[in-house]
Amino acid sequence: MRHKTFFWFILPSLAAMILFIALPLVSVVLQSLHIEHEQVIVVTENCGPFGCTKESSVDTEATAQLRAEQPLGRFAGLSTYFDRGHLATAEISEAWRTRDGFGDFLSELYNLPFYKALAFTLTYTFLVTPLVIVLGLLIALGVNRLPSLLKGPTIFVSLLPMIITPLIGSLILFWMIDAQGVIGKTLQWMFDDPELSLKASPALTWITLMVYGVWSSAPFAFVVFYAGLQTVNTDSLEAAMIDGATRWQQIRYVVIPHLMPLVVFISLIQLMDNFRVFEPIVGFSAQANATSLSYIIYADMRSDLTRFNSAAATSVLTVIGVAILLTPVLLRTWRDFKGKAV
Amino acid sequence: MSSALNRSSRSAVIFSSAFVLLWVAVASFPFIWTLWGSFKVQGDFFSKADWRNALWGTRTLIETGATFTGAGYDGAWIQEEFWRAAINTLIVVFFTVIISLTFGTLGGYALARSGRKYAFWLLMIALVFRAMPHITLVSGYLLPFFEWNLWGHLPTSIIVLVAINQPFTLWMLHSFFLNIPKDLDESAKVDGCTQFQAFRHVIIPVMWPGVITTGLFSFLLAYNDFAVTSMLLSEENRTMVPAIAGFLGSTLEEGNVMFAVAAVVSATAPLFVLVMFFQRQIVSGLTAGAVKG
């Protein structure tokens, strides 16, 4: 295909991506380097019979005008990145100097909003992803052995947790785990503790969110694995059976190696999707006990006083996180591509 | 020997069937429960006394005189005007899907037929864009959109959703067009067609299965979105998902939680229908990317 033809074909798509994905990233970086203008202070001198007093007051009009003229604010360099709401370098070195052992330092760290969000985001990403793969594989192996009449309806039901709107799915579960909801009541009865509430403690909230994450993503892994199982070479399975391999050995040495490329694919997609975990925290109203990077950006923009610079700085840090997460994949693909070219 | 093998495989069958049964229950129970409960009053759906009240509608009978009530739906759709949100969702989803597919087919076709280095790099960049959390992009839009008075309108959300959708659409349609033999459009070009004419007369008639599959996923992305629509739409232009989130903020008074439950069930219904009719396309779409590796 000629360069010119290629260009015209790709133009609409490329323009949309540059305007609404690439430029917003630039805008985020710019916003993160600026901070809102300070209020304009005017000093007036009142002279009375007992001498003169200086009085400073906020000039609201001038402040509003200045802020309207330069909505981006004044240049602040990297200061937003290092303040208490983000990397909090000063607080960390302070906590390190006055630490009472390593555990104490970690709990100090956990009190800083950015690190609290980072801790949950990473835990969520690296626990939910493997659990989704294991559960998806088990379901796929199970469904594969069903009589073909039952396969269609089973797949239909299995798809539901995945296609449901994340916010709606988490709301549905949130209502059920409520202390007066059906699962909440059942748990109280099982543990014989009428005060038990999944919303109260941070640990239980984390577990709830991760259970939701596995529930909503397992269908994706299941469907991919299920399709992979249809292409397993039956000859090698039969050969393994003749050689006396047990069912488990067949799975371990024939099926799983065959599915390995799919594991890589699912991990990649799941790492990307789990790293931006956001809607479940809104749906479960879990922000007191668990926040994610996406959530604190949302909270900054939602608050009465929108802190664009703070949201933008967190966004930049999140994008850096995504880049780190993707580096191994990109390097591998690049090597493959170069290998093919040579 | 052979009987031992049979026995072990029978227990394996029982175990795997039980596991699948358990999964089916876990996957479907929340939906069935919420659908059933949406026709009850709050005193039954969140039962202080006994969870079985939700099954029989004990309090519903006392409060409304029947075991089923449409009060939640009435409150959500008529009193809280959920139908406005439904219409907005319809507009946003329809235009997002149409525009995404138009841009995506052209771009995906070009990427599949180019084979040059820059096409590969474009795909890699699209993969990186695919990984961007949507909310980080939204924090980039918000200030400029306020300044240029673009904030709050449906077309703004539509074009933003189209852009966010592009990386995925490009990947999917690119791998789909790779499966259409190159000879098809090559021979049309030999016969004197330009590239665009070849695309128009030879490729478009055979591309519909892939386009429909991709369209389903564009639909899901636009329909399920919360980050973009909740931040970029004004109150009167809200779509269903942010509207439901809005219900929760304003429904602390007794009974109104049921509005949100009814709205949730209403918003889930189209997704059910979608899976029912397009199950095969969804499954094949999910695996298309995977099999390619």
Side-chain angles (χ1 to χ4, degrees):
Chain A
M1 191 183 272
R2 296 217 315 277
H3 296 305
K4 211 175 139 192
T5 337
F6 179 82
F7 174 75
W8 286 113
F9 265 96
I10 198 94
L11 181 67
S13 174
L14 199 62
M17 287 201 293
I18 289 177
L19 279 176
F20 294 101
I21 302 182
L23 284 185
L25 289 176
V26 176
S27 149
V28 163
V29 173
L30 277 181
Q31 287 182 47
S32 71
L33 297 177
H34 290 75
I35 197 164
E36 197 176 23
H37 286 290
E38 282 169 335
Q39 289 173 323
V40 180
I41 308 282
V42 277
V43 181
T44 44
E45 210 172 27
N46 291 330
C47 286
F50 306 106
C52 291
T53 50
K54 278 186 180 174
E55 210 172 82
S56 48
S57 60
V58 177
D59 186 342
T60 350
E61 216 170 277
T63 310
Q65 198 193 354
L66 183 64
R67 284 185 183 166
E69 273 168 9
Q70 294 170 300
L72 204 52
R74 64 200 154 85
F75 186 75
L78 292 175
S79 64
T80 309
Y81 287 95
F82 295 110
D83 70 7
R84 192 182 181 280
H86 302 88
L87 292 176
T89 35
E91 283 80 1
I92 288 181
S93 56
E94 174 67 23
W96 184 252
R97 258 190 295 113
T98 59
R99 71 185 184 280
D100 248 0
F102 197 62
D104 177 60
F105 173 66
L106 281 186
S107 76
E108 287 276 322
L109 203 61
Y110 189 73
N111 281 333
L112 298 164
F114 178 77
Y115 292 97
K116 189 179 168 186
L118 187 67
F120 177 75
T121 310
L122 290 178
T123 318
Y124 183 89
T125 308
F126 289 101
L127 277 180
V128 169
T129 307
L131 287 176
V132 160
I133 290 174
V134 171
L135 184 63
L137 180 63
L138 289 178
I139 301 170
L141 288 171
V143 171
N144 201 31
R145 309 189 76 184
L146 286 180
S148 51
L149 198 65
L150 288 177
K151 277 179 183 169
T154 314
I155 295 174
F156 169 74
V157 172
S158 302
L159 284 175
L160 294 177
M162 179 187 70
I163 54 115
I164 185 83
T165 313
L167 185 80
I168 290 182
S170 43
L171 273 177
I172 288 179
L173 291 193
F174 178 64
W175 289 326
M176 291 173 76
I177 61 154
D178 188 276
Q180 293 162 18
V182 60
I183 297 180
K185 274 262 185 253
T186 313
L187 287 176
Q188 286 175 358
W189 172 78
M190 271 165 65
F191 292 99
D192 200 19
D193 175 7
E195 295 300 307
L196 182 72
S197 162
L198 288 177
K199 299 170 194 169
S201 90
L204 288 176
T205 310
W206 281 40
I207 293 173
T208 314
L209 286 170
M210 286 181 211
V211 167
Y212 167 78
V214 174
W215 179 76
S216 63
S217 302
F220 168 67
F222 152 65
V223 169
V224 174
F225 281 135
Y226 179 74
L229 285 177
Q230 311 309 309
T231 60
V232 170
N233 190 342
T234 42
D235 290 348
S236 15
L237 265 186
E238 263 170 40
M241 220 166 0
I242 290 167
D243 289 345
T246 61
R247 169 89 189 141
W248 162 243
Q249 283 169 330
Q250 289 167 30
I251 292 176
R252 172 70 191 77
Y253 295 104
V254 181
V255 175
I256 290 184
H258 177 76
L259 296 180
M260 241 11 231
L262 301 184
V263 173
V264 175
F265 167 75
I266 296 169
S267 325
L268 171 66
I269 301 283
Q270 281 297 304
L271 285 177
M272 294 198 290
D273 288 354
N274 290 335
F275 193 74
R276 59 177 168 221
V277 51
F278 164 53
E279 283 102 334
I281 295 175
V282 179
F284 281 99
S285 314
Q287 55 272 27
N289 293 325
T291 56
S292 72
L293 294 176
S294 288
Y295 185 83
I296 55 176
I297 299 171
Y298 172 79
D300 266 343
M301 292 194 290
R302 271 318 260 224
S303 60
D304 297 334
L305 220 156
T306 316
R307 290 188 296 266
F308 288 116
N309 65 317
S310 171
T314 317
S315 296
V316 172
L317 294 170
T318 310
V319 170
I320 294 172
V322 172
I324 294 172
L325 212 61
L326 278 185
T327 312
V329 184
L330 291 179
L331 279 179
R332 211 187 91 151
T333 323
W334 189 61
R335 246 181 281 133
D336 285 358
F337 180 75
K338 250 185 36 179
K340 246 186 274 170
V342 173
Chain B
M1 173 70 201
S2 104
S3 76
L5 200 71
N6 270 340
R7 208 176 319 126
S8 88
S9 85
R10 192 182 304 143
S11 68
V13 166
I14 291 169
F15 177 76
S16 80
S17 310
F19 183 76
V20 170
L21 207 65
L22 180 71
W23 162 251
V24 166
V26 168
S28 61
F29 177 67
F31 298 102
I32 298 167
W33 177 263
T34 309
L35 174 66
W36 182 265
S38 69
F39 292 101
K40 307 291 179 203
V41 295
Q42 192 179 341
D44 280 334
F45 191 67
F46 296 103
S47 183
K48 285 194 179 70
D50 186 351
W51 66 271
R52 276 168 302 196
N53 283 356
L55 289 182
W56 318 127
T58 318
R59 291 219 46 88
T60 316
L61 190 62
I62 297 169
E63 284 177 32
T64 65
T67 43
F68 289 95
T69 171
Y73 291 90
D74 191 58
W77 282 88
I78 295 161
Q79 193 182 323
E80 298 284 329
E81 301 197 321
F82 193 61
W83 56 270
R84 282 184 199 279
I87 293 173
N88 288 332
T89 300
L90 195 71
I91 297 170
V92 167
V93 167
F94 177 78
F95 285 104
T96 306
V97 170
I98 297 293
I99 302 173
S100 297
L101 287 180
T102 314
F103 288 11
T105 32
L106 291 171
Y109 174 71
L111 289 170
R113 288 296 184 261
S114 165
R116 286 179 203 275
K117 215 171 230 173
Y118 55 72
F120 168 81
W121 283 114
L122 276 176
L123 279 172
M124 281 298 112
I125 292 171
L127 180 72
V128 175
F129 284 167
R130 156 83 173 72
M132 291 298 147
H134 299 165
I135 198 85
T136 62
L137 300 175
V138 173
S139 79
Y141 305 134
L142 211 52
L143 187 58
F145 283 2
F146 273 143
E147 288 306 309
W148 301 331
N149 282 325
L150 291 173
W151 184 85
H153 308 295
L154 289 177
T156 314
S157 283
I158 291 171
I159 194 69
V160 164
L161 283 172
V162 166
I164 286 183
N165 219 347
Q166 272 310 300
F168 173 78
T169 317
L170 278 181
W171 264 94
M172 196 133 166
L173 285 168
H174 155 257
S175 66
F176 178 76
F177 281 121
L178 282 180
N179 283 343
I180 296 180
K182 222 173 177 167
D183 308 343
L184 228 54
D185 35 337
E186 289 298 325
S187 58
K189 268 160 68 181
V190 170
D191 289 345
C193 283
T194 64
Q195 185 87 43
F196 186 76
Q197 281 169 332
F199 176 72
R200 167 77 188 76
H201 296 291
V202 181
I203 300 297
I204 286 187
V206 297
M207 73 179 185
W208 294 110
V211 170
I212 288 171
T213 307
T214 315
L216 284 171
F217 286 91
S218 303
F219 172 89
L220 284 179
L221 183 130
Y223 192 87
N224 288 346
D225 173 82
F226 174 67
V228 174
T229 47
S230 73
M231 296 304 307
L232 292 187
L233 287 174
S234 58
E235 190 138 337
E236 69 270 17
N237 280 338
R238 275 199 305 213
T239 53
M240 286 202 279
V241 180
I244 289 169
F247 274 148
L248 297 175
S250 64
T251 52
L252 290 172
E253 44 188 303
E254 172 81 12
N256 285 8
V257 175
M258 295 318 288
F259 293 2
V261 177
V264 156
V265 173
S266 313
T268 314
L271 293 174
F272 262 71
V273 177
L274 188 83
V275 186
M276 229 179 267
F277 283 102
F278 294 105
Q279 181 174 333
R280 192 181 317 170
Q281 279 84 356
I282 292 177
V283 170
S284 77
L286 283 178
T287 48
V291 177
K292 286 258 155 320

